[in-house]
Short mmCIF file of all heavy atoms in Angstrom, two decimals:
data_model
loop_
_atom_site.label_atom_id
_atom_site.label_comp_id
_atom_site.label_asym_id
_atom_site.label_seq_id
_atom_site.Cartn_x
_atom_site.Cartn_y
_atom_site.Cartn_z
N GLN I 55 -15.76 5.04 20.33
CA GLN I 55 -16.08 5.61 21.62
C GLN I 55 -17.60 5.29 21.97
O GLN I 55 -17.91 4.88 23.07
CB GLN I 55 -15.91 7.12 21.62
CG GLN I 55 -14.47 7.56 21.44
CD GLN I 55 -13.60 7.14 22.62
OE1 GLN I 55 -14.05 7.07 23.76
NE2 GLN I 55 -12.35 6.91 22.38
N ASP I 56 -18.46 5.48 20.97
CA ASP I 56 -19.89 5.21 21.19
C ASP I 56 -20.14 3.75 21.50
O ASP I 56 -21.01 3.44 22.34
CB ASP I 56 -20.71 5.61 19.92
CG ASP I 56 -20.76 7.13 19.71
OD1 ASP I 56 -20.42 7.90 20.64
OD2 ASP I 56 -21.10 7.55 18.59
N THR I 57 -19.39 2.90 20.81
CA THR I 57 -19.50 1.47 21.10
C THR I 57 -19.22 1.15 22.53
O THR I 57 -20.01 0.43 23.23
CB THR I 57 -18.54 0.64 20.20
OG1 THR I 57 -18.98 0.83 18.86
CG2 THR I 57 -18.60 -0.82 20.55
N PHE I 58 -18.12 1.65 23.09
CA PHE I 58 -17.79 1.34 24.45
C PHE I 58 -18.63 2.04 25.48
O PHE I 58 -18.84 1.53 26.58
CB PHE I 58 -16.26 1.54 24.69
CG PHE I 58 -15.49 0.32 24.29
CD1 PHE I 58 -14.98 0.18 23.03
CD2 PHE I 58 -15.34 -0.72 25.21
CE1 PHE I 58 -14.29 -0.97 22.67
CE2 PHE I 58 -14.65 -1.89 24.85
CZ PHE I 58 -14.12 -2.00 23.56
N ILE I 59 -19.16 3.19 25.13
CA ILE I 59 -20.14 3.84 26.02
C ILE I 59 -21.39 2.89 26.14
O ILE I 59 -21.91 2.70 27.21
CB ILE I 59 -20.56 5.22 25.51
CG1 ILE I 59 -19.37 6.21 25.72
CG2 ILE I 59 -21.81 5.72 26.21
CD1 ILE I 59 -19.53 7.52 25.04
N LYS I 60 -21.81 2.42 25.01
CA LYS I 60 -22.96 1.50 25.00
C LYS I 60 -22.68 0.23 25.78
O LYS I 60 -23.53 -0.27 26.57
CB LYS I 60 -23.38 1.16 23.56
CG LYS I 60 -24.63 0.37 23.47
CD LYS I 60 -25.16 0.27 22.02
CE LYS I 60 -26.51 -0.47 22.00
NZ LYS I 60 -27.08 -0.47 20.65
N ILE I 61 -21.49 -0.34 25.58
CA ILE I 61 -21.12 -1.53 26.31
C ILE I 61 -21.04 -1.31 27.84
O ILE I 61 -21.60 -2.12 28.60
CB ILE I 61 -19.72 -2.03 25.81
CG1 ILE I 61 -19.88 -2.66 24.40
CG2 ILE I 61 -19.11 -3.04 26.76
CD1 ILE I 61 -18.59 -2.98 23.71
N VAL I 62 -20.52 -0.15 28.21
CA VAL I 62 -20.46 0.21 29.68
C VAL I 62 -21.87 0.29 30.22
O VAL I 62 -22.16 -0.25 31.29
CB VAL I 62 -19.70 1.54 29.85
CG1 VAL I 62 -19.98 2.14 31.23
CG2 VAL I 62 -18.21 1.33 29.68
N ASN I 63 -22.75 0.95 29.49
CA ASN I 63 -24.13 1.11 29.95
C ASN I 63 -24.85 -0.23 30.12
O ASN I 63 -25.58 -0.45 31.11
CB ASN I 63 -24.93 2.00 29.01
CG ASN I 63 -24.46 3.46 29.13
OD1 ASN I 63 -23.89 3.90 30.10
ND2 ASN I 63 -24.69 4.22 28.06
N ILE I 64 -24.60 -1.14 29.16
CA ILE I 64 -25.22 -2.45 29.22
C ILE I 64 -24.68 -3.25 30.40
O ILE I 64 -25.41 -3.90 31.16
CB ILE I 64 -25.04 -3.23 27.91
CG1 ILE I 64 -25.85 -2.56 26.78
CG2 ILE I 64 -25.40 -4.71 28.06
CD1 ILE I 64 -25.54 -3.09 25.43
N LEU I 65 -23.35 -3.20 30.62
CA LEU I 65 -22.75 -3.94 31.73
C LEU I 65 -23.18 -3.40 33.06
O LEU I 65 -23.51 -4.12 33.96
CB LEU I 65 -21.22 -3.85 31.64
CG LEU I 65 -20.56 -4.60 30.43
CD1 LEU I 65 -19.05 -4.41 30.46
CD2 LEU I 65 -20.91 -6.08 30.45
N ARG I 66 -23.24 -2.06 33.17
CA ARG I 66 -23.65 -1.45 34.45
C ARG I 66 -25.11 -1.70 34.78
O ARG I 66 -25.47 -1.82 35.94
CB ARG I 66 -23.44 0.07 34.41
CG ARG I 66 -21.96 0.47 34.56
CD ARG I 66 -21.79 1.95 34.58
NE ARG I 66 -20.39 2.33 34.84
CZ ARG I 66 -19.90 3.52 34.61
NH1 ARG I 66 -20.68 4.49 34.13
NH2 ARG I 66 -18.66 3.79 34.86
#
Side-chain angles (χ1 to χ4, degrees):
Q55 295 294 330
D56 291 345
T57 295
F58 273 91
I59 289 170
K60 185 168 186 176
I61 287 171
V62 163
N63 290 337
I64 291 170
L65 293 179
R66 283 183 176 165

